[in-house]
Each structure stands twice: as C-alpha cells, then as structure tokens.
Amino acid sequence: MKIIFSRIKYVTLQAIMGKIIALANQKGGVGKTTTTINLAASLATLEKKVLVIDADPQANASSGLGVNTKDVDCSLYECIIDHADVRDAMYTTDIEGLDIIPSHIDLVGAEIEMLNIERREQVIKNLLAPIKDEYDYILIDCSPSLGLITVNALTAADSVIIPVQCEYFALEGISKLLNTIKIIKSKLNPKLEIEGFLLTMYDSRLRLANQIYDEVKRHFQELVFKTVIQRNVKLSEAPSHGLPAILYDADSTGSKNHLALAKEIINKG
C-alpha cells in the first residue's frame, strides 16, 4: 500500500469536475459501506477517477479496499483534528484510479474535539476543496449516526445516496434522515440533493422484499434507483479478502449490480 504525497496531473481542455456523493443512513446494516466500496470500484473500472473518504470510525471501507488500518500514519482524523495535509492521508488501492482517505478508531472522539473548531460543520468541505476537481467522484462513507461527522459529510456533498435494505423496518428512521438533509440544505448546503434511494439486500423470492420495494417506489417514486442490489454471497465474502466484488469475482451478481449502479449514476450526470 503506497501513500500518495503528490501527483502531477495532465490537465485536458475538459477539466475534471468532481462530484461529491455521501452515502448516509443512521440505521446500521443497510449496506452503506458495501455500496461505497463496490460503487467506487465500479466507477474506477469505468475509467473514472474516484476517491473514497472513510468517515466511519469502524474503518470497514478502509479494510474492504485493502488498507491495513494498523499501518495508517495519517487518516481522516489527523486531517480534521491535527490539520494534516489531506494529500498525506491519500492511499492507493488495487484498482487503478481509485484512492482512499482511510478512517481510524480515533474518529470516535473527533466530534467532541471538533466542538471548539470554528465553522465545525464545514471542516470536511474545506479539506476536500483543494482536491475536489482532481477526481470525477468522491464518495463519503458515513457512520450509522447523524452526528457532527455525518453533518460534515452532507455539508461537503453535492448529493446523497440513501441505501435502504429490503427488510422489516426498512423505512424506520428515514424521515429523521430526510429532516436532517432538509435542515442542512436550508442552513449549510443549499445545493445538496438526493442522488437516489438504493434498495439493498434484495431477494426477489421473498414476498416481504417485494412489498418493501413497492413501498419505497410508492413513497419516493423517481428518486429510487432503477438498479437494485441483490443478496449475494460473493458480495459478503469480498471485504474479508480486502477486495471489492469486481476483483473478488467479476461475474458475481453483486459485482454486476454495482456496475449497473455506476453506469446509472454516470448517465444521470
């Protein structure tokens, strides 16, 4: 794993305009991290320049993309609290064009340490400003909470993907998240939009999964992605190998689903 200190960019006439997408839902176990890892890998496979920001203290996105968090000297925490250069926290991955700023367990205490920081809701936005246009997409994997780090992610983002698992209580807490998005949009980030609701862990054989799919479509209509992420063993196994599904098993259903999602996002513009 090689740390990136600097990059010489060849700038074409059509400059890269980075889009920052947060993946958020305060409900745990809905597939935020799985989606972040595999969507990022799929976008990079489609020759997009991608950066993942692991904003979850559990650091699962970091390990899922092959970063040994014990060897990380500079993470998102150091950037937020110690004002480390964001480029010193950027690591390459096994997929060309896909980089990551990893997380660390210390991020748990960052929200308390940030209380005395001026304009504390905009720390991540300011961190990403110098590098935003070096990437086509920057994906922020949020923790399962609506705390200050998640508020930071939503303040920095252009849009938000909301994963919704096809299980009982799927819509529980969504109204609270939507209210938080509404407040952030009105007070901190007027340009914040919902990229889409993403149905995850879908099993077409289950009547409940189909009922939830219909319910989410009825509630949110055109805001629901056409792509659905199906339940898939390979998708569950891949993170334990430090690989996205597309490297672990490119022919798996999980890999194909995320590739379809990446294409849908690219086509949306």
Side-chain angles (χ1 to χ4, degrees):
M1 190 59 58
K2 181 182 69 178
I3 193 162
I4 303 168
F5 289 105
S6 65
R7 271 205 182 87
I8 299 171
K9 297 283 180 187
Y10 177 71
V11 181
T12 61
L13 289 173
Q14 187 177 6
I16 291 174
M17 294 299 292
K19 183 173 189 178
I20 301 176
I21 304 175
L23 288 94
N25 189 333
Q26 77 273 24
K27 190 168 168 32
V30 299
K32 282 189 301 295
T33 300
T34 299
T35 302
T36 302
I37 290 169
N38 291 289
L39 174 57
S42 296
L43 287 166
T45 301
L46 294 169
E47 300 186 334
K48 300 297 180 183
K49 194 85 178 69
V50 186
L51 175 67
V52 169
I53 311 291
D54 190 349
D56 185 345
Q58 295 177 83
N60 290 332
S62 303
S63 58
L65 284 173
V67 175
N68 185 342
T69 53
K70 293 177 182 176
D71 295 338
V72 170
D73 298 318
C74 187
S75 68
L76 182 62
Y77 173 83
E78 282 75 24
C79 293
I80 291 172
I81 303 301
D82 300 333
H83 310 292
D85 188 326
V86 68
R87 293 177 191 280
D88 290 345
M90 291 160 63
Y91 289 74
T92 57
T93 70
D94 290 335
I95 294 184
E96 187 179 349
L98 174 56
D99 301 332
I100 182 168
I101 294 177
S103 184
H104 193 275
I105 191 65
D106 288 349
L107 200 61
V108 169
E111 296 194 354
I112 295 170
E113 295 178 71
M114 290 170 74
L115 292 177
N116 295 323
I117 298 177
E118 194 176 340
R119 298 173 72 183
R120 57 183 176 267
E121 301 89 357
Q122 299 182 25
V123 175
I124 290 180
K125 179 181 179 179
N126 295 333
L127 277 176
L128 297 181
I131 60 168
K132 179 179 179 181
D133 291 343
E134 295 178 15
Y135 291 90
D136 295 296
Y137 294 95
I138 297 177
L139 305 183
I140 308 178
D141 183 31
C142 298
S143 65
S145 77
L146 293 178
L148 188 52
I149 299 289
T150 298
V151 169
N152 259 265
L154 294 172
T155 302
D158 298 300
S159 63
V160 54
I161 291 174
I162 302 171
V164 180
Q165 87 281 30
C166 291
E167 294 178 357
Y168 200 58
F169 296 134
L171 297 178
E172 190 181 63
I174 290 286
S175 59
K176 190 174 182 182
L177 174 60
L178 293 177
N179 191 50
T180 299
I181 291 169
K182 185 178 176 182
I183 292 167
I184 288 171
K185 191 173 169 70
S186 65
K187 297 185 182 301
L188 293 166
N189 184 6
K191 68 182 181 181
L192 181 64
E193 301 292 343
I194 293 174
E195 187 77 23
F197 290 84
L198 176 68
L199 287 150
T200 62
M201 307 176 194
Y202 177 73
D203 187 339
S204 60
R205 297 169 300 177
L206 301 178
R207 183 189 300 171
L208 177 62
N210 289 299
Q211 287 173 344
I212 289 165
Y213 177 85
D214 292 340
E215 188 178 358
V216 172
K217 283 290 274 186
R218 190 172 67 251
H219 270 281
F220 303 113
Q221 298 173 13
E222 75 279 356
L223 284 175
V224 181
F225 283 108
K226 292 182 178 68
T227 304
V228 172
I229 308 301
Q230 296 166 268
R231 279 201 178 277
N232 180 237
V233 174
K234 299 292 185 183
L235 200 56
S236 303
E237 290 175 353
S240 65
H241 298 271
L243 295 170
I246 206 160
L247 286 187
Y248 182 65
D249 185 348
D251 290 326
S252 66
T253 300
S255 176
K256 290 174 180 176
N257 288 165
H258 285 94
L259 205 54
L261 176 64
K263 289 175 182 175
E264 189 173 344
I265 288 171
I266 290 168
N267 290 336
K268 281 179 74 175

